[in-house]
Amino acid sequence: MTVNDIIKLMPTALDSAAAANMQNTIQFDISKPMYLLIDHGKCTAHDGVADASDVTLTMADDDLKALLKGELNGAMAFMSGKLKLKGDMMLAQRIPSLFDASRIA
């Protein structure tokens, strides 16, 4: 399973209650860029680059895959330089609590 396959599964792992009041775009800057649109408890995955994103995560495909599966700590990845963030850092910190990693592993 590729990191893009995992991103495509993320809408099914969204905690809709936690995202009920959110309207955000999360961009993943990877070998084949993708983004998630979160809109009031609903989430959709899209190929490519969003017109505008609230936060952009730049990582190697394997590192993002590990992060999304809960195998890599986001703070440690950021501190070690494996993860680069642009935009809303608070939104980036919320990503693990918005998605159930066990449903996308």
Side-chain angles (χ1 to χ4, degrees), residues 3 7 28 30 57 59-68:
V3 69
I7 294 169
F28 297 101
I30 50 178
L57 286 73
M59 293 185 87
D61 289 14
D62 287 342
D63 290 335
L64 180 58
K65 186 175 174 179
L67 180 75
L68 295 176

Side-chain angles (χ1 to χ4, degrees), residues 18-91:
N21 295 318
M22 294 179 65
Q23 196 167 10
N24 297 98
T25 302
I26 301 168
Q27 178 72 52
F28 297 101
D29 187 5
I30 50 178
S31 63
K32 294 179 185 169
M34 291 190 74
Y35 62 97
L36 296 175
L37 292 178
I38 299 173
D39 188 10
H40 297 70
K42 293 186 181 1
C43 180
T44 53
H46 304 269
D47 292 319
V49 178
D51 292 335
S53 64
D54 296 292
V55 67
T56 300
L57 286 73
T58 303
M59 293 185 87
D61 289 14
D62 287 342
D63 290 335
L64 180 58
K65 186 175 174 179
L67 180 75
L68 295 176
K69 291 171 72 176
E71 299 167 355
L72 177 64
N73 178 285
M76 294 302 291
F78 182 75
M79 297 295 230
S80 67
K82 289 183 176 182
L83 167 61
K84 292 182 177 56
L85 290 174
K86 186 172 140 191
D88 187 345
M89 192 172 287
M90 296 302 289
L91 174 57

